[in-house]
Amino acid sequence: MVACLAIVTGSVTAELVMPVWSEESRQRVGGEDWIPGGALLLETEEATPEDGTGVKPPTAAETVKEEKPDEIQEHYLEAYFAQRPETFLVDPQGLLDPVSARDRTAFLDYHSSDSQIDFYVYLFGEGQRIPAEVREEELSERLFGGGKPALVLFYYLGEPKRSEVFLSPQLTDSVSDAERRRMIKSSVLAASEKGDAIAQLEAFCVQTAIRIYWMEKAAGLLVGERVEPVVAKPVVEEVAASPNRLDGMKEQFGQFWWDWGAVVSVSLAGALFAFGGWWYARFRARYRFPDFEVAPRLGGDHAAGIGAVIAFGSTTQSPSAQESGVPDYFGGI
């Protein structure tokens, strides 16, 4: 069958012959599971995307899934939060290299042996999130409710500003939230001065250990020391561009004096005593100059005595009036 199209232009009528399917093409197309031009007739999302690019845009659920934070994998949660850790550094993901992990563990062990408050560090990766079903506030009561008081630090490697500090129930009554915020603030400031993630962790832990000493005093855990009542002070936000490091320097000096004050005092006293003895010995010193034997000149005790001699016998006359004749030893030369 031949399809014809009639076009009328003025008084002229022209017939255009349309293409016709051959029997071979019709059989080949009929055996396939598609209809030529069928995509234009179906109003589906896959066939006609709104952006016209031929690619289906992501749905809202897919967008939320892509933006979902990097949560800690489920098989690590038990190692983190199932029971009170046996070591003070909790790193089941192995984020630290063996040398750094050994150094941090040794530091925390030494702190525990010298302090009345244990210091636990839970280490997480940069950008990681703790799942919502884990209640961090309940961990201190569930895992650290008994035994030695403890401070628990949630530290995100490379992100010290995200750090969180939790106290065991024995410390919550004696240490205020304002003091805990000041601790985090000073530790973050110390860590921000370092450029390396491992160095930031080290500086953060050292500064936190210094602040724990003041917590011991506030909680009355230091034996033989008078405990002053802790008054919560309002937290004032700093407006200055450069942070004030005076408080941190005072705390570091106080900790240094606590550890080495006796040694420094004895050393200074010994040095002052030695300097005083040396100065007194120099002040009392007496020097004696030796008498040298001088050979006689021309057989006499003195020289020839040649030279001008001026003598004044009267205070009322001028020197010229008192001039006396001097013998001419050289014959008028």
Side-chain angles (χ1 to χ4, degrees), residues 13-307:
T13 301
E15 293 184 357
L16 299 178
V17 179
M18 302 296 292
V20 180
W21 286 91
S22 64
E23 189 64 25
E24 181 182 356
S25 299
R26 190 183 300 276
Q27 292 178 358
R28 180 166 57 84
V29 172
E32 299 179 359
D33 190 15
W34 68 282
I35 301 176
L40 301 176
L41 303 177
L42 299 177
E43 297 181 357
T44 60
E45 186 177 0
E46 292 80 8
T48 57
E50 294 180 359
D51 56 1
T53 59
V55 179
K56 180 182 177 180
T59 62
E62 294 175 345
T63 304
V64 173
K65 184 177 181 181
E66 292 177 357
E67 298 177 355
K68 186 176 181 179
D70 185 13
E71 292 187 350
I72 301 174
Q73 299 181 11
E74 185 176 356
H75 61 275
Y76 289 125
L77 297 181
E78 183 176 357
Y80 274 116
F81 310 115
Q83 59 185 358
R84 183 165 181 155
E86 298 179 356
T87 59
F88 296 106
L89 179 64
V90 184
D91 183 20
Q93 302 182 72
L95 300 175
L96 293 181
D97 58 271
V99 177
S100 300
R102 184 175 63 251
D103 293 342
R104 291 300 92 218
T105 302
F107 172 80
L108 296 174
D109 291 340
Y110 173 78
H111 171 84
S112 177
S113 63
D114 192 52
S115 174
Q116 301 298 325
I117 300 176
D118 285 340
F119 183 15
Y120 290 89
V121 177
Y122 283 68
L123 197 61
F124 305 102
E126 183 177 1
Q128 286 187 337
R129 297 291 190 276
I130 300 175
E133 58 269 17
V134 177
R135 300 288 301 274
E136 298 95 325
E137 297 80 2
E138 298 177 353
L139 291 177
S140 58
E141 183 175 356
R142 178 168 59 88
L143 301 182
F144 304 94
K148 189 176 179 180
L151 180 143
V152 181
L153 169 65
F154 282 9
Y155 187 86
Y156 298 87
L157 196 62
E159 296 178 303
K161 293 183 178 180
R162 293 181 55 202
S163 302
E164 299 177 90
V165 171
F166 303 97
L167 303 176
S168 61
Q170 302 94 319
L171 301 175
T172 53
D173 294 336
S174 57
V175 180
S176 62
D177 292 338
E179 177 64 24
R180 184 170 56 179
R181 288 193 296 269
R182 283 194 292 269
M183 168 192 288
I184 297 176
K185 189 174 182 178
S186 62
S187 300
V188 170
L189 180 62
S192 61
E193 298 177 353
K194 307 296 182 180
D196 181 62
I198 305 300
Q200 290 178 351
L201 173 61
E202 179 180 358
F204 197 104
C205 292
V206 171
Q207 183 63 25
T208 302
I210 295 174
R211 300 291 301 192
I212 289 178
Y213 165 75
W214 301 105
M215 283 190 176
E216 292 176 340
K217 295 185 64 176
L221 299 177
L222 294 180
V223 181
E225 291 194 7
R226 182 171 177 264
V227 180
E228 299 293 338
V230 178
V231 180
K233 298 180 180 179
V235 179
V236 180
E237 295 294 336
E238 295 182 1
V239 183
S242 59
N244 185 8
R245 298 185 176 89
L246 184 58
D247 294 339
M249 294 175 62
K250 289 182 178 178
E251 294 169 2
Q252 293 179 0
F253 178 77
Q255 180 65 24
F256 171 80
W257 188 257
W258 173 261
D259 295 336
W260 301 97
V263 177
V264 173
S265 300
V266 173
S267 301
L268 289 177
L272 290 175
F273 181 79
F275 176 77
W278 173 81
W279 180 84
Y280 182 77
R282 289 290 303 272
F283 178 77
R284 297 287 299 175
R286 296 294 183 267
Y287 300 96
R288 297 181 181 276
F289 296 97
D291 295 332
F292 297 99
E293 294 293 336
V294 179
R297 298 175 177 81
L298 301 178
D301 294 336
H302 304 284
I306 300 175

